[in-house]
Amino acid sequence: MASNYPPGVSGFEPEIAGYDTSEDIDHREASCQNEECVEFDNVEEREIVLTKEYASHNVVFESWTWTCPTCGLSSDFESEYEDDGYDG
């Protein structure tokens, strides 16, 4: 079967096919970043919607947004780590 991809490229790579993603309710430490808010730098475990993108080579990208209930400021957080248990 003919392919539009160069040799060695299947088209299933995450950069082409997209990442496997999931969304879960989770808990992360977060604090308000608004210096004028009474919750500023008050680090607590917060309930968030966590989005995970599973890339090739066992790399996982996490992102979540937390909105301060006191002042309404939204803050975006991101992290990246290796997950040896993921076979992507």
Side-chain angles (χ1 to χ4, degrees):
M1 182 164 131
S3 171
N4 291 328
Y5 299 112
V9 177
S10 69
F12 294 109
E13 293 79 7
E15 295 81 5
I16 297 170
Y19 296 108
D20 292 337
T21 61
S22 69
E23 283 192 358
D24 296 307
I25 301 295
D26 205 345
H27 294 85
R28 291 286 188 271
E29 287 189 347
S31 65
C32 186
Q33 303 301 301
N34 179 357
E35 293 181 6
E36 297 175 8
C37 180
V38 296
E39 292 294 322
F40 177 70
D41 275 350
N42 179 20
V43 177
E44 289 185 19
E45 195 162 284
R46 317 284 181 160
E47 186 174 278
I48 51 96
V49 175
L50 178 67
T51 301
K52 290 184 179 184
E53 295 181 339
Y54 299 89
S56 59
H57 309 294
N58 301 330
V59 176
V60 179
F61 301 103
E62 289 185 335
S63 61
W64 66 95
T65 300
W66 178 73
T67 302
C68 177
T70 304
C71 72
L73 178 73
S74 289
S75 300
D76 296 323
F77 300 89
E78 296 179 344
S79 65
E80 175 182 328
Y81 63 91
E82 288 190 26
D83 182 357
D84 293 331
Y86 177 70
D87 186 23

